[in-house]
Amino acid sequence: LTAAQKAFAPSIRLSDTKLDLGKMGSKKTLKGTITITNVGRSELRFQDLQVTNPALNVSLKKQTLAPGKSTKLHISVNAKYLRNHLEHTPRVMMITNDPAHPKCEIKVKVQK
């Protein structure tokens, strides 16, 4: 990208890259939220949203985000599917059009 394109590029800012949902215990689901802000000067597009664990459910209401605006990414963990898949850290990966951070990863920490 040229300097002019970089100056007007979108830029993503996450409220946190790690989400600690705590202890599952006897609960069926745990929920958490991450705030996503576009601090760039053009529209931020979410091209893909991937989860690495079948127990994770994610919800993002907007696929595009105007400059200076924010949205929330809702993440929930279902205990029914978590039991067999705790050997790896559950993660959510977002692919965006931000040239500095095209891939953003959020680690989700859950205890049994």
Side-chain angles (χ1 to χ4, degrees), residues 58-107:
V58 293
S59 172
L60 184 62
K61 292 190 178 189
K62 298 181 180 181
Q63 290 186 340
T64 60
L65 197 57
K69 299 292 181 181
S70 297
T71 188
K72 293 188 180 198
L73 174 70
H74 299 280
I75 301 172
S76 63
V77 178
N78 191 340
K80 179 180 177 183
Y81 302 109
L82 187 66
R83 301 187 204 295
N84 302 328
H85 299 283
L86 256 184
E87 59 272 359
H88 301 292
T89 304
R91 294 179 187 153
V92 176
M93 187 171 76
M94 289 185 295
I95 299 174
T96 66
N97 66 335
D98 180 357
H101 305 288
K103 295 178 185 175
C104 298
E105 189 175 81
I106 300 169
K107 294 181 181 180

Side-chain angles (χ1 to χ4, degrees), residues 1 13 29 31 53-55 66 71 78 101-102 110:
L1 295 175
R13 180 181 295 158
T29 60
K31 297 179 182 180
N53 194 311
T71 188
N78 191 340
H101 305 288
V110 179

Side-chain angles (χ1 to χ4, degrees), residues 20-61:
D20 189 0
L21 296 178
K23 193 168 178 112
M24 186 63 82
S26 62
K27 299 175 188 171
K28 292 185 180 182
T29 60
L30 291 176
K31 297 179 182 180
T33 330
I34 298 284
T35 304
I36 303 168
T37 307
N38 181 6
V39 293
R41 300 175 95 188
S42 65
E43 190 175 74
L44 178 69
R45 288 190 312 269
F46 300 101
Q47 297 163 342
D48 199 6
L49 198 59
Q50 300 174 350
V51 294
T52 61
N53 194 311
L56 288 179
N57 293 321
V58 293
S59 172
L60 184 62
K61 292 190 178 189

